[in-house]
Amino acid sequence: MKSIPQVLAVPWGLCAQTPLVGLEVRRPLQDGAEVEIDGRHGAVLALPAASEVRFVGRRWREQPEGTAFPWIGDDFRLSALPTAALVSEQTIRVEIRANGQTLSTQLQLNHPLLRPRDNGPGQTIGDEGALTMQAFILQVLARIREAQNQLDAEASDGVETGWDRLRILWLKRRAQAQEAPRELIVDHAERLPTRVEDTAAHPRRVLKRTRELMAIDRIQELDNACIDWLIRQPGRSVAEKAGPRQRLRGIAREENLDTLENRVLKDFLRLSVEEGRIYVRANQRFGNTDRVRLVNRYLVLCRGHYRELSDLGIRNPVPPITPNYVLQQDARYRVIWRAYLELLRNQQREDDLWRWQRRLWADFARLAVVVALDHLLSRQRVAFSPLHIHNEQVNGRWSDTYPLLAMFVLKLSQRCLIVEVLDATLDIAHHALAPWLSMLGCTAVVQLTDYDSGRRASLCVWGVHGVAAEPLPLTDLVQSADEALRNAITHENLRTGQTMNIRGLVIRSTPAQAREFATQPAYLAYGITLDVDPDNIREALEECALILEESIGRLFP
């Protein structure tokens, strides 16, 4: 392969050189080799633009990040790698095909957090960090979905778009929400307790026919195999063939609970407990609300019946499960089967949410930048892209917008600036987005133009999500981003002969709700962490707006 693909530990890894806290920011991929890379902030592939990527043995689809850009004499592009949700996903086999050649390699992602799971009530696989991360991811998704929320009559006065709803709910939330969100487990807790109680307390029994030796007076049924066995025994009469213990082979009927429908019922209870625990943990602040209390009662019910079925010797089902007649036609089990399929689909969605959590955070960071700029007093709205939030992720994204997210007029230090917020991760770029900016792996680019002089500048925004128990320090990330910016500026200055005016902002996630700032004046990049908790998001976005204003002011002193 003419151009050597790379795997990056950080989005700007192509332009950085210095190891990040002793870790390489990029490593080349060789055919047949195994490559280890730090996966604490989501790894990214850099590969020839005309290449195709296939994850061997997985159903994952490639997730492109931005448009093509020139790099070392060839056109390259970026592609996101998933975060491991399961132990088996820490190793990823990749095939890259370009120009009739195929490169096969194996990636080993180090230091990822795996999605916590329940093997049964009280048997959680996953440490406290993974549980905290899971609750954080659900909170990020909840904040994004608030663009769909219906507001009350008073708050919705004049609200026309998803951006308006985000501005109100993120920046003008007058009080805590009074109720936990409605999710699948809440629906089950409302509809199914009676059905679960009836089915699990009286599981379906079948009579199992077995052939065994038993006393003559206890034999009630024989089949052809029993008669064949009897003929082969020595003796002329039945008494002689029965031997000294007077036992013959006959049909015995035993009650059996270990059937497919009861295995499905048991696994349904296990998944219900897992989903209920996730819901209660993610909504601890709503502990006294009706929905959380309802789910807690449902949890107790499912946990108790799960233990009862386990004690009865019912095993776990072996996938793939093909429903039998009982699961499809029995009035009791048909309801359980449909609810079980809903839980399986929901679990798959949560696995995908975990795998692409880096792109989820990038979605939130883009929306947060627009809302923060809209909060500046000196801004004037010009245009907003339509904002649509999908019910399911599409290629790892939840929001659907145009490349131009928003446009403002900003009055700053006697200057009138035209501010364009561009989505840098779409495969169709806005005309104002220079190709070389895609090389930096930006989540968004704030393009600035002085209305009077026509002078232009750019602010690169990276949404960096830590997918490990101990993410890299924000100051080190900012220092690495600063180096990448300086190298990219130097390269572009030499190529075009023009002086590039550019700065950067790293927006890192903070599951532990510990705020950090990195605003050293000597750096071209600043850093901030954003809190997504509803009680703290307003203050976090106000701080983000101030740092955006400070960064823009340094571009136009």
Side-chain angles (χ1 to χ4, degrees):
M1 193 170 288
K2 178 182 175 182
S3 301
I4 300 176
Q6 310 279 324
V7 59
L8 316 179
V10 284
W12 55 82
L14 277 180
C15 299
Q17 301 290 338
T18 305
L20 187 59
V21 197
L23 304 171
E24 295 181 85
V25 292
R26 70 171 181 268
R27 295 195 64 182
L29 300 180
Q30 301 293 340
D31 190 29
E34 179 175 331
V35 178
E36 292 189 12
I37 192 72
D38 188 86
R40 276 184 279 188
H41 289 281
V44 180
L45 287 177
L47 57 157
S51 60
E52 297 179 357
V53 177
R54 186 172 77 91
F55 298 104
V56 181
R58 306 289 182 187
R59 295 183 178 180
W60 305 333
R61 296 175 56 190
E62 184 193 356
Q63 313 292 353
E65 293 272 334
T67 57
F69 53 85
W71 192 66
I72 311 184
D74 200 355
D75 286 340
F76 262 60
R77 63 182 178 86
L78 301 181
S79 180
L81 285 173
T83 299
L86 309 171
V87 174
S88 59
E89 296 174 0
Q90 291 179 272
T91 300
I92 303 175
R93 293 177 59 202
V94 179
E95 282 187 358
I96 302 174
R97 299 175 182 176
N99 301 322
Q101 295 179 305
T102 300
L103 182 149
S104 298
T105 187
Q106 185 166 287
L107 302 176
Q108 180 68 40
L109 302 181
N110 297 330
H111 309 296
L113 276 177
L114 303 179
R115 189 168 93 82
R117 297 178 181 275
D118 281 5
N119 266 5
Q123 301 177 28
T124 302
I125 300 177
D127 58 16
E128 188 66 24
L131 294 170
T132 301
M133 180 64 73
Q134 187 172 45
F136 175 78
I137 292 171
L138 293 176
Q139 273 203 334
V140 175
L141 180 58
R143 297 291 80 74
I144 293 176
R145 282 180 165 171
E146 285 180 330
Q148 299 174 306
N149 284 6
Q150 296 297 322
L151 305 179
D152 56 59
E154 180 182 355
S156 62
D157 184 28
V159 173
E160 298 179 354
T161 68
W163 299 107
D164 293 325
R165 285 189 284 271
L166 291 182
R167 177 173 52 84
I168 290 174
L169 291 172
W170 289 5
L171 292 171
K172 298 182 179 181
R173 197 186 305 256
R174 291 183 295 274
Q176 284 190 352
Q178 299 301 312
E179 186 60 273
R182 184 178 185 85
E183 296 182 10
L184 177 63
I185 192 63
V186 177
D187 181 58
H188 284 190
E190 289 178 348
R191 294 189 295 111
L192 300 179
T194 302
R195 182 70 67 182
V196 169
E197 177 68 34
D198 178 51
T199 309
H202 306 93
R204 184 172 181 270
R205 291 168 164 82
V206 297
L207 291 177
K208 184 179 180 182
R209 292 161 54 94
T210 61
R211 301 182 188 96
E212 60 183 50
L213 291 175
M214 60 181 68
I216 294 178
D217 59 350
R218 291 188 55 221
I219 296 177
Q220 296 181 351
E221 183 180 357
L222 297 173
D223 63 4
N224 291 337
C226 295
I227 294 174
D228 289 342
W229 177 88
L230 179 64
I231 293 172
R232 293 194 299 269
Q233 303 308 306
R236 289 179 295 180
S237 65
V238 172
E240 289 178 358
K241 290 177 179 291
R245 301 183 64 183
Q246 291 296 287
R247 295 169 67 86
L248 295 176
R249 179 170 290 185
I251 300 298
R253 295 176 179 269
E254 296 178 353
E255 280 192 345
N256 179 35
L257 291 169
D258 191 21
T259 60
L260 177 62
E261 56 270 20
N262 287 333
R263 293 178 187 178
V264 168
L265 172 61
K266 177 187 172 184
D267 204 42
F268 163 76
L269 295 173
R270 179 187 66 83
L271 290 177
S272 297
V273 171
E274 181 177 346
E275 290 299 317
R277 293 179 62 182
I278 292 172
Y279 181 85
V280 171
R281 185 179 182 87
N283 296 282
Q284 289 179 348
R285 59 194 295 269
F286 301 108
N288 292 323
T289 61
D290 292 339
R291 286 178 181 168
V292 173
R293 288 200 298 266
L294 178 69
V295 171
N296 272 320
R297 289 195 297 270
Y298 187 61
L299 264 176
V300 173
L301 175 68
C302 292
R303 186 183 294 116
H305 284 304
Y306 176 88
R307 290 171 178 161
E308 290 173 1
L309 295 182
S310 298
D311 293 340
L312 291 173
I314 298 175
R315 295 173 293 172
N316 296 324
V318 178
I321 301 172
T322 301
N324 58 12
Y325 178 85
V326 176
L327 288 173
Q328 296 182 84
Q329 301 298 331
D330 185 273
R332 297 187 306 162
Y333 283 92
R334 184 172 61 240
V335 175
I336 297 297
W337 172 247
R338 291 173 180 172
Y340 180 61
L341 292 180
E342 290 176 343
L343 287 174
L344 288 178
R345 287 192 290 267
N346 194 61
Q347 187 177 61
Q348 181 61 48
R349 284 194 293 267
E350 290 177 357
D351 283 342
D352 289 338
L353 184 64
W354 187 276
R355 291 185 185 104
W356 302 108
Q357 56 185 283
R358 175 181 165 274
R359 302 200 89 197
L360 174 72
W361 178 253
D363 249 354
F364 174 77
R366 279 189 295 271
L367 301 179
V369 167
V370 174
V371 173
L373 287 172
D374 193 29
H375 189 58
L376 295 175
L377 296 177
S378 56
R379 66 92 181 98
Q380 180 180 346
R381 288 182 167 194
V382 176
F384 280 86
S385 162
L387 175 60
H388 174 69
I389 305 299
H390 297 288
N391 292 325
E392 302 288 343
Q393 62 174 349
V394 178
N395 295 333
R397 293 174 59 107
W398 292 84
S399 66
D400 186 9
T401 62
Y402 294 158
L404 176 60
L405 295 174
M407 180 183 290
F408 304 96
V409 172
L410 183 64
K411 294 183 179 180
L412 191 66
S413 301
Q414 307 303 318
R415 293 180 182 270
C416 183
L417 302 177
I418 299 173
V419 180
E420 297 171 289
V421 185
L422 309 177
D423 187 342
T425 63
L426 297 177
D427 54 2
I428 301 177
H430 190 269
H431 64 85
L433 184 65
W436 69 278
L437 291 174
S438 297
M439 177 174 57
L440 289 166
C442 305
T443 300
V445 174
V446 181
Q447 195 70 40
L448 305 159
T449 306
D450 191 319
Y451 183 79
D452 296 322
S453 66
R455 181 186 171 197
R456 300 174 68 85
S458 301
L459 176 63
C460 293
V461 179
W462 293 282
V464 179
H465 176 58
V467 294
E470 296 183 4
L472 298 175
L474 181 62
T475 52
D476 294 319
L477 290 170
V478 169
Q479 186 175 356
S480 179
D482 174 78
E483 180 192 23
L485 280 175
R486 294 183 187 277
N487 290 339
I489 290 171
T490 301
H491 177 271
E492 194 63 15
N493 288 348
L494 291 174
R495 190 182 70 85
T496 63
Q498 300 177 357
T499 302
M500 298 293 121
N501 191 19
I502 184 171
R503 293 186 65 84
L505 174 62
V506 176
I507 301 178
R508 204 197 71 188
S509 59
T510 173
Q513 299 183 0
R515 296 185 188 176
E516 295 182 58
F517 300 92
T519 55
Q520 297 186 28
Y523 287 167
L524 291 179
Y526 283 169
I528 186 175
T529 59
L530 280 185
D531 191 345
V532 299
D533 186 88
D535 296 334
N536 303 322
I537 191 171
R538 173 174 181 170
E539 185 176 350
L541 287 175
E542 288 174 346
E543 293 167 349
C544 181
L546 292 176
I547 290 183
L548 285 168
E549 189 174 35
E550 167 71 13
S551 299
I552 294 172
R554 286 187 171 273
L555 288 169
F556 291 93

